């Protein structure tokens, strides 16, 4: 599959208008990765929020994962007042999923240690499943959103105690 200049420009225009920070398209013959700088907002201690990563684009329409039954907004024991708690916020509007499919284990649970690059959730926007990766090290202390619910841009998703 060879991409012409017009097709590349259309792809770049689509990404620029989509609000996504990073898109990866991969086929057996071609791999395209586009990443742009974005402003990230954080709470409390100035650690960057996660960036979006788009799943590969496919020609057929993918079905959204089914709703997973779980306890609403799982919580850890009360946090220490002097601890460094940071909020991971949604980088986009979409549907929040805690796992890649209903049969898969959750990406993170309360009490899990995370490091930069660790996928913490998926946000589905316009049939693209965007993996949201952590940009910080710490421990998940609270999940603020229920699985399979809509989220807004900059909506708090997780609270993390910094390592």
């Amino acid at each position: 599959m060879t991409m012409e200049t017009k097709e590349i420009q259309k792809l770049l225009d689509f990404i620029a208008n989509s609000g996504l920070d990073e898109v990866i398209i991969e086929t057996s013959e071609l791999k395209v990765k586009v990443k742009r700088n974005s402003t990230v907002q954080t709470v409390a201690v100035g650690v960057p929020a996660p960036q979006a990563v788009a799943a590969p684009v496919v020609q057929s329409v993918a079905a959204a994962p089914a709703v997973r039954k779980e306890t609403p907004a799982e919580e850890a024991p009360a946090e220490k007042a002097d601890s460094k708690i940071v909020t991971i916020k949604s980088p986009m509007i979409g549907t929040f999923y805690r796992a890649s499919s209903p049969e898969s284990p959750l990406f993170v649970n309360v009490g899990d240690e995370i490091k930069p690059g660790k996928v913490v959730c998926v946000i589905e926007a316009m049939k693209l499943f965007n993996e949201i990766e952590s940009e910080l090290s710490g421990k998940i202390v609270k999940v603020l959103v229920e699985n399979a619910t809509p989220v807004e841009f900059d909506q708090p998703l997780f609270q993390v105690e910094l390592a």
Side-chain angles (χ1 to χ4, degrees), residues 93-108:
I93 295 172
T95 303
F96 171 88
Y97 293 104
R98 295 193 55 202
S100 59
S101 72
E103 302 81 33
S104 300
L106 301 178
F107 290 115
V108 293

Side-chain angles (χ1 to χ4, degrees), residues 7 20 33 67 100 131 138 145 156:
E7 293 172 312
L20 299 174
K33 180 176 180 179
V67 176
S100 59
E131 292 181 337
V145 180

Side-chain angles (χ1 to χ4, degrees), residues 42-50 74 76-77 79-80 82-89 108-116 118-121 132-144 156-163:
T42 59
V43 173
V45 294
V47 177
E74 297 178 16
E79 301 128 21
K80 302 173 198 147
D82 61 346
S83 65
K84 296 179 181 176
I85 303 295
V86 176
T87 303
I88 296 177
K89 296 182 178 183
V108 293
N109 290 300
V110 171
D112 286 356
E113 294 291 328
I114 60 171
K115 294 182 179 180
K118 165 81 172 144
V119 175
V120 294
C121 66
I132 308 305
E133 297 177 352
S134 172
E135 289 190 356
L136 49 94
S137 293
K139 180 173 78 171
I140 301 287
V141 293
K142 192 181 267 187
V143 179
L144 303 171
L157 303 175
F158 300 94
Q159 286 185 340
V160 178
E161 182 177 13
L162 295 177

Side-chain angles (χ1 to χ4, degrees), residues 5-163:
T5 305
K6 286 183 192 178
E7 293 172 312
I8 294 171
Q9 187 59 47
K10 280 184 180 179
L11 176 61
L12 292 174
D13 290 342
F14 169 76
I15 294 166
N17 293 327
S18 72
L20 299 174
D21 292 326
E22 185 174 341
V23 175
I24 300 171
I25 299 172
E26 191 171 348
T27 66
S28 58
E29 301 88 22
L30 173 72
K31 181 174 181 178
V32 176
K33 180 176 180 179
V34 178
K35 187 173 183 178
R36 66 178 171 173
N37 294 332
S38 66
T39 56
V40 290
Q41 296 183 0
T42 59
V43 173
V45 294
V47 177
Q51 295 180 341
V53 177
V57 176
V58 293
Q59 294 295 334
S60 62
V61 176
V67 176
R68 167 178 272 205
K69 299 279 184 197
E70 60 194 60
T71 59
E74 297 178 16
E75 293 185 28
E79 301 128 21
K80 302 173 198 147
D82 61 346
S83 65
K84 296 179 181 176
I85 303 295
V86 176
T87 303
I88 296 177
K89 296 182 178 183
S90 177
M92 67 183 66
I93 295 172
T95 303
F96 171 88
Y97 293 104
R98 295 193 55 202
S100 59
S101 72
E103 302 81 33
S104 300
L106 301 178
F107 290 115
V108 293
N109 290 300
V110 171
D112 286 356
E113 294 291 328
I114 60 171
K115 294 182 179 180
K118 165 81 172 144
V119 175
V120 294
C121 66
V122 172
I123 297 181
E124 184 254 332
M126 297 177 56
K127 301 296 180 197
L128 290 177
F129 291 85
N130 304 286
E131 292 181 337
I132 308 305
E133 297 177 352
S134 172
E135 289 190 356
L136 49 94
S137 293
K139 180 173 78 171
I140 301 287
V141 293
K142 192 181 267 187
V143 179
L144 303 171
V145 180
E146 289 192 41
N147 191 49
T149 57
V151 292
E152 296 293 324
F153 171 76
D154 216 28
Q155 178 177 340
L157 303 175
F158 300 94
Q159 286 185 340
V160 178
E161 182 177 13
L162 295 177

